[in-house]
Amino acid sequence: IGTFSDKYGNLRLFYLASILYALNPLVWLLFPNPWILLAVQLVGGIANAAYLIGVTNYMLNTVPSGERAIVATYLNILAGIGIFIGSLLGGYAMTYHPVWLSAITYTFIISIIGRCAITFLGIKHMREREHVKKLPRESKIELFHPIRSLYGELQFLRHLKR
C-alpha cells in the first residue's frame, strides 16, 4: 500500500480505500453468508489501513512541519466528532425506522449514504501536491466486483515489487 501511495499518489489511494470502505455495509445487506462476510471484512480492514495511510501521508505532504501537530490534533478531534454523530444517527435510525424496512437495513443504508457523501464532498477539495504517475492500464480496479478487483490488484502489486 505504501508503494502504491508513493508512486501513484495519496489521493488515489484515499479515494479507492474510501469507496471500498463506504460500500462495506452494502455487502452485509446483500450476502448473509458468514464466510463471504469474513472475506469482505478482510477487504474492509485492508481498505481501512489504506485509508489511514493515505490520510496520514497526505497530511504529512501538505502541512508545513511546524503545524503538523495541531493539524493532526484537529484531524483526530473531527474523527471523534464524526464517530459520535454517526453513533447517534445509527441509534436514532435503529429506533425510528420506516415500518416497511427493518431497523438494521435502514441503519446500513444511512451508513452507506453518509460514508459516500463524506468521501465525495471531502475529496473534491483535496489536491495532490507532488507529481505522481497515472494508474497503468494493467491495473484492474473494478468497484462493483471487489473479489476480481482484489485479485487484479494483488497481481498488480506483485508487478510493482519487481
Side-chain angles (χ1 to χ4, degrees), residues 96-102:
Y96 303 103
H97 60 88
V99 292
W100 51 271
L101 199 59
S102 75

Side-chain angles (χ1 to χ4, degrees), residues 6-7 11 17 32 34 39 51 54-55 57 60 76 88 92 95 123 162:
D6 292 341
K7 199 169 193 178
L11 284 183
Y51 176 83
V55 167
N57 285 346
L60 292 174
N76 288 325
L88 285 178
Y92 183 81
T95 306
I123 201 150
R162 291 184 193 154

Side-chain angles (χ1 to χ4, degrees), residues 93-157:
M94 290 293 279
T95 306
Y96 303 103
H97 60 88
V99 292
W100 51 271
L101 199 59
S102 75
I104 292 176
T105 303
Y106 185 64
T107 304
F108 277 21
I109 289 171
I110 288 177
S111 175
I112 294 165
I113 291 169
R115 290 176 182 202
C116 288
I118 294 297
T119 296
F120 293 125
L121 289 175
I123 201 150
K124 73 178 188 176
H125 299 291
M126 300 168 73
R127 300 288 176 256
E128 195 73 58
R129 300 283 172 129
E130 298 177 352
H131 180 69
V132 292
K133 294 182 180 180
K134 290 187 176 188
L135 283 173
R137 291 199 179 269
E138 60 263 12
S139 176
K140 306 233 185 293
I141 297 171
E142 298 179 35
L143 295 177
F144 298 108
H145 300 286
I147 301 301
R148 283 193 299 193
S149 179
L150 180 63
Y151 176 76
E153 288 307 310
L154 289 174
Q155 298 303 319
F156 176 67
L157 290 176

Side-chain angles (χ1 to χ4, degrees), residues 2-143:
T3 304
F4 181 90
S5 175
D6 292 341
K7 199 169 193 178
Y8 300 107
N10 297 311
L11 284 183
R12 286 190 183 105
L13 177 64
F14 175 73
Y15 186 70
L16 294 172
S18 295
I19 297 271
L20 285 174
Y21 191 68
L23 295 179
N24 193 3
L26 178 65
V27 181
W28 278 79
L29 292 175
L30 299 177
F31 301 104
N33 184 334
W35 293 106
I36 292 174
L37 293 177
L38 178 67
V40 166
Q41 284 308 111
L42 288 172
V43 172
I46 293 169
N48 189 24
Y51 176 83
L52 290 174
I53 288 172
V55 167
T56 303
N57 285 346
Y58 183 79
M59 183 192 67
L60 292 174
N61 288 340
T62 57
V63 176
S65 62
E67 298 175 10
R68 286 183 186 152
I70 193 75
V71 171
T73 302
Y74 283 132
L75 184 66
N76 288 325
I77 288 171
L78 290 174
I81 291 170
I83 291 168
F84 177 72
I85 291 172
S87 299
L88 285 178
L89 288 175
Y92 183 81
M94 290 293 279
T95 306
Y96 303 103
H97 60 88
V99 292
W100 51 271
L101 199 59
S102 75
I104 292 176
T105 303
Y106 185 64
T107 304
F108 277 21
I109 289 171
I110 288 177
S111 175
I112 294 165
I113 291 169
R115 290 176 182 202
C116 288
I118 294 297
T119 296
F120 293 125
L121 289 175
I123 201 150
K124 73 178 188 176
H125 299 291
M126 300 168 73
R127 300 288 176 256
E128 195 73 58
R129 300 283 172 129
E130 298 177 352
H131 180 69
V132 292
K133 294 182 180 180
K134 290 187 176 188
L135 283 173
R137 291 199 179 269
E138 60 263 12
S139 176
K140 306 233 185 293
I141 297 171
E142 298 179 35
L143 295 177

